[in-house]
Amino acid sequence: MRSTPEDCSDLYLAKYDPALSMKYVETLLEDTLLYWLGWIRSCTYFGRWLENVERSALILKLLTYEPTGAVVAAVTFSLPEAIGDAGRNWDYRFTWVRDSAFTMYAFMRLGLTKEAKQYMGFVRTLCQEKNPDGGLQIMYTLRGGREMAELELGHLEGYRACAPVRIGNGAADHLQLDIYGELLDAVYLYNKFSQPLSFDEWVDIRALVDYVCDNYDQPDMGIWEVRGKRQNFTYSKVQCWVAIDRGLRLVDKRDFPCRNKQRWQHTRDTLYEEIMERAWNPELEMFTQSYEHHEMLDAAVLAMPLVFFCAGTDPRFVKTMRRIMLPPHRGGLTANNLVFRYNAVETDDG
């Protein structure tokens, strides 16, 4: 006797969508707990603050979109940076190349290499659909889409009356050259700690380094996505140096073919000296936010020793760090043991 379509549908529902009951809910809860306990056991970190580190890793995993490996920046949109601060409320439900690269680095350092591999697959997809000029967008949808027009929903008053409510993000077409350094640094560490790069992956990475060599001297919108004028931001220049440096390290360590190796070396060294000359203010003794504004501090430059641009004991860096640690009324960026990105009152960030 053959089953009717209705019988098949009933069987399917019984197996894959059973009616809710206390027993079934308890089973789902137990399965969920077992999954997450099994996942976190892959973590190889056993140092200080272990519980905090593991909780943070769980959050990063929850922000990962399983089908593509993309990492969402946040699950919120239109929440203001401060109550009453109308205007600074953006939609973060997208994947930023920069943020995702940092997340991949964290996963690798914790021994969670499966997620790093998934994200590398996402990067390969992006590299195969680059912009017409050979670069990448700074952000994408979780499925790799490019369109995310920024709209204001005027019929909504926003969280605690902090309008406007925005969906989409107008920064998608920004030029932010720092993303290449963060991405190349993560790729370099992926090759070191997770899985050796394939030749096809190398070809994609090589093209990105060539793009950086062609465009490193362009002003951009910077890591903080300012909506004012483009500038030659110091942090962006440092990360361009990182991108080229990591490309050269991969060539040396893996003997990958690179016809432009000498050009890369020349560009990296030229850029290093340019930063030391044009981003350093000898009167105030600090690295500045950009070549154009020699009086502005930027907390992003604190990453310099972390990416091996300079030593943490380098006198120029030490003097910059000491100035950043001063309170705002004395020209610094530190208040209540917290560090501001930059002085938003004096900086034209749009």
Side-chain angles (χ1 to χ4, degrees):
M1 181 177 178
R2 300 180 64 182
S3 300
T4 66
E6 290 77 10
D7 293 335
C8 292
S9 178
D10 291 342
L11 290 172
Y12 179 89
L13 289 174
K15 183 175 182 180
Y16 297 104
D17 190 19
L20 283 178
S21 65
M22 282 303 300
K23 183 177 180 180
Y24 181 51
V25 170
E26 290 170 357
T27 300
L28 289 176
L29 177 60
E30 184 177 356
D31 290 345
T32 302
L33 289 171
L34 289 174
Y35 171 83
W36 287 107
L37 287 170
W39 182 82
I40 200 62
R41 284 197 191 101
S42 301
C43 178
T44 57
Y45 179 81
F46 294 102
R48 298 175 68 185
W49 303 295
L50 177 60
E51 182 180 355
N52 293 335
V53 171
E54 290 185 340
R55 297 302 301 178
S56 297
L58 289 167
I59 293 297
L60 293 178
K61 174 64 173 175
L62 285 167
L63 293 172
T64 303
Y65 184 56
E66 190 76 18
T68 63
V71 181
V72 66
V75 296
T76 60
F77 70 100
S78 285
L79 290 179
E81 292 186 5
I83 302 302
D85 185 9
R88 291 178 178 270
N89 34 12
W90 314 108
D91 188 351
Y92 294 108
R93 298 170 300 163
F94 304 102
T95 179
W96 269 254
V97 172
R98 175 191 308 111
D99 301 45
S100 299
F102 289 150
T103 301
M104 183 168 76
Y105 170 79
F107 279 142
M108 287 187 294
R109 297 299 293 176
L110 296 175
L112 304 168
T113 56
K114 177 184 175 182
E115 285 67 29
K117 292 177 183 176
Q118 288 177 323
Y119 181 68
M120 273 302 298
F122 184 67
V123 169
R124 284 223 60 203
T125 300
L126 302 184
C127 288
Q128 291 164 7
E129 300 175 1
K130 293 193 287 287
N131 297 337
D133 64 354
L136 300 175
Q137 280 196 179
I138 66 164
M139 70 176 84
Y140 296 85
T141 69
L142 297 186
R143 294 184 177 88
R146 296 168 170 270
E147 299 300 323
M148 53 197 81
E150 185 172 297
L151 304 173
E152 292 188 6
L153 307 182
H155 61 288
L156 298 176
E157 70 171 19
Y159 177 73
R160 296 181 65 176
C162 291
V165 174
R166 292 187 178 96
I167 58 173
N169 199 302
D173 61 353
H174 277 192
L175 177 65
Q176 296 176 18
L177 293 170
D178 66 283
I179 67 171
Y180 300 98
E182 289 129 359
L183 179 59
L184 265 292
D185 194 31
V187 169
Y188 173 78
L189 294 171
Y190 173 82
N191 177 80
K192 181 177 181 180
F193 293 112
S194 182
Q195 181 171 302
L197 290 179
S198 68
F199 174 74
D200 290 331
E201 289 171 331
W202 165 245
V203 171
D204 292 333
I205 297 305
R206 184 174 62 187
L208 291 181
V209 179
D210 284 333
Y211 173 85
V212 173
C213 289
D214 291 336
N215 293 276
Y216 77 90
D217 56 352
Q218 300 297 311
D220 70 347
M221 310 301 275
I223 182 176
W224 307 128
E225 298 182 355
V226 298
R227 299 199 175 193
K229 286 181 59 177
R230 289 188 179 188
Q231 300 177 46
N232 288 284
F233 286 100
T234 301
Y235 179 78
S236 294
K237 302 303 182 186
V238 169
Q239 288 294 348
C240 284
W241 178 90
V242 170
I244 304 169
D245 178 74
R246 299 313 188 261
L248 286 167
R249 292 192 189 204
L250 285 169
V251 171
D252 292 339
K253 292 184 178 298
R254 293 290 310 279
D255 291 322
F256 280 128
C258 182
R259 299 184 185 92
N260 294 330
K261 183 178 180 180
Q262 288 186 342
R263 184 196 179 208
W264 290 9
Q265 290 173 327
H266 176 74
T267 304
R268 179 190 62 178
D269 296 346
T270 299
L271 180 55
Y272 193 98
E273 294 198 11
E274 176 186 295
I275 294 169
M276 287 300 187
E277 178 182 347
R278 298 185 62 188
W280 174 252
N281 184 325
E283 287 76 28
L284 297 178
E285 295 189 316
M286 68 181 194
F287 285 111
T288 59
Q289 185 179 55
S290 68
Y291 295 173
E292 291 81 2
H293 293 93
H294 258 211
E295 300 78 31
M296 302 296 180
L297 279 170
D298 188 340
V301 302
L302 292 173
M304 282 179 165
L306 298 178
V307 296
F308 301 106
F309 178 81
C310 66
T313 55
D314 186 292
R316 292 191 179 195
F317 177 77
V318 172
K319 290 174 182 177
T320 302
M321 182 174 65
R322 285 175 177 167
R323 180 167 287 274
I324 288 175
M325 292 174 66
L326 294 173
H329 70 274
R330 294 180 57 193
L333 297 175
T334 304
N336 298 321
N337 293 323
L338 300 175
V339 180
F340 291 99
R341 300 171 177 176
Y342 52 86
N343 188 326
V345 175
E346 298 180 1
T347 300
D348 176 22
D349 59 4

